[in-house]
């Protein structure tokens, strides 16, 4: 849309020429065509642009709220995934409709009344649970990120945080502790692994250590205060805090206990990483600590003077302990402020106030988590892995500030 924030007061408070008015109307018409919003709100946008909103009654309340038609964050979907526009967000909760998606064979349509979760294998009492059954167990609510292990892109200086690592999102999840269900079925102490299976067309399966179930795994049926979205696993999914996203099986329909991993396709031919000497590593559960500056970042434009550098940091192994900022391409580092409360295995906001002299420079962020692990540089990762990408690739990201105010990805 062509209406800039700075133009709005002009249209509202001063006499406008007929030509300008038509320009405004044309811009408003674009809103009408493009935006998937309720027509009442579209009308309000058209009027607000052209008239003084204190002189006409606003639109009445609707069945559901809408985003301002001036704000159009999108997930930029491909056939298999969509990415959270990290550079457009504030705070750390991802609006549910902007949560990234990764589907191995689409989003299934599931009637919760017909959906069942079968739990069997090395247990005393196999059971079948429905959504209604799950809601009868004691509930827990927790804010946590979910990140795909394939969350890295490079190859152009014109990549945004969304493009580089938009396969991470954060929600407030509500459901049942898996340990509660474990007690209900009486898990055999000799069981060491369980299989989780989804009821999508991919019938995605992964083996998970029983220990994670006793620790902090959940079955979640709600996200940000409402039923979990179909894209996130409606009517419920497995949720493994801090683990690579693919293990949090969506549309969960079966859990089977065993004394060995099942070695499914998704843990042998996929989701393994090369390490040194031509070896391949199986089972990399934890998401390594990572941070990214989301402002200033491509495609933002900046001006010299005070800039609040902002971003998010997270770790699958616990809390973020420290985020440091460099404004000289990694030569010197300064502590950023963390936006508390700092939660376990959660996106944590950081900020660093800095005065830019307008000369070309590169800004970077790096996180250290509570285990002492510090986010590596790109070069360190390439050396360790012998590859320039792949799963669990979490390098420091640098942004180059150009004297004309453009912000470009470093090493793009
Ligand atoms: N049943 C099923 N579960 C699944 C998937 C899938 O395709 N099918 N994708 C996995 C992958 S690779 C990731 S990264 C996360 C993505 O979760 P989201 O789409 O809710 O963001 O779900 C995981 N669980
Ligand atoms: Mo993933």
């Amino acid at each position: 849309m062509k209406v800039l924030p700075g133009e709005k007061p002009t249209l509202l408070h001063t006499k406008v020429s007929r030509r300008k008015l038509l320009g405004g109307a044309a811009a408003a018409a674009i809103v009408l065509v493009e935006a998937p919003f309720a027509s009442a709100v579209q009308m309000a946008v058209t009027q607000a642009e052209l008239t003084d909103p204190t002189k006409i009654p606003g639109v009445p309340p609707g069945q559901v709220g809408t985003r301002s038609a001036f704000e159009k964050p999108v997930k930029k979907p491909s056939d298999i995934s969509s990415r959270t526009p990290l550079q457009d967000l504030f705070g750390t909760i991802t609006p549910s409709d902007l949560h990234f998606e990764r589907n191995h064979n689409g989003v299934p349509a599931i009637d919760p009344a017909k959906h069942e979760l079968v739990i069997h294998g090395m247990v005393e009492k196999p059971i079948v649970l429905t959504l209604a059954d799950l809601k009868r167990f004691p509930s827990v609510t927790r804010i946590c990120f979910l990140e795909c292990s394939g969350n890295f892109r490079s190859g152009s200086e014109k990549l945004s945080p969304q493009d580089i690592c938009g396969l991470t999102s954060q929600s407030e999840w509500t459901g049942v502790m898996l340990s509660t269900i474990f007690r209900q079925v009486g898990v055999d102490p000799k069981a060491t692994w369980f299989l989780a299976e989804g009821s999508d067309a991919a019938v995605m399966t992964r083996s998970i250590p029983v220990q994670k179930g006793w620790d902090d795994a959940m079955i979640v049926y709600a996200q940000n205060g409402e039923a979990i979205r179909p894209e996130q696993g409606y009517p419920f999914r497995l949720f493994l805090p801090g683990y690579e996203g693919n293990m949090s099986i969506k549309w969960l329909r079966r859990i089977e206990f065993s004394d060995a991993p099942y070695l499914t396709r998704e843990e042998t031919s996929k989701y393994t990483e090369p390490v040194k000497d031509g070896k391949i590593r199986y089972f990399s559960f934890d998401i390594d600590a990572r941070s990214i500056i989301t402002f200033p970042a491509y495609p933002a434009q900046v001006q010299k003077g005070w800039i609040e550098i902002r971003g998010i940091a997270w770790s699958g192994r616990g809390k973020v302990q420290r985020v440091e900022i460099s404004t000289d391409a990694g030569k010197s580092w300064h502590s950023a402020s963390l936006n508390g409360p700092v939660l376990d295995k959660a996106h944590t906001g950081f900020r660093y106030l800095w005065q830019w002299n307008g000369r070309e420079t590169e800004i970077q962020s790096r996180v250290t988590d509570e285990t002492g692990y510090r986010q590596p540089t790109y070069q360190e990762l390439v050396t360790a892995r012998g590859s320039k990408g792949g799963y669990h690739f979490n390098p420091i990201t640098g942004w180059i500030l150009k004297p004309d105010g453009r912000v470009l990805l470093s090493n793009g």
Side-chain angles (χ1 to χ4, degrees), residues 100 102 104 147-150 167 204 244-247 271 391:
F100 87 87
R102 172 73 181 94
H104 287 69
E147 182 180 12
C148 177
S149 53
L167 297 175
M204 185 153 175
E244 57 178 16
N246 68 71
M247 302 178 75
Y271 301 117
Y391 298 116

Side-chain angles (χ1 to χ4, degrees), residues 1 25-39 42-43 45-46 69 72:
M1 210 186 68
I30 293 172
V31 176
L32 289 172
V33 176
E34 274 184 6
F37 299 103
S39 60
Q42 289 172 355
M43 283 311 298
V45 167
T46 311
K72 291 183 185 163

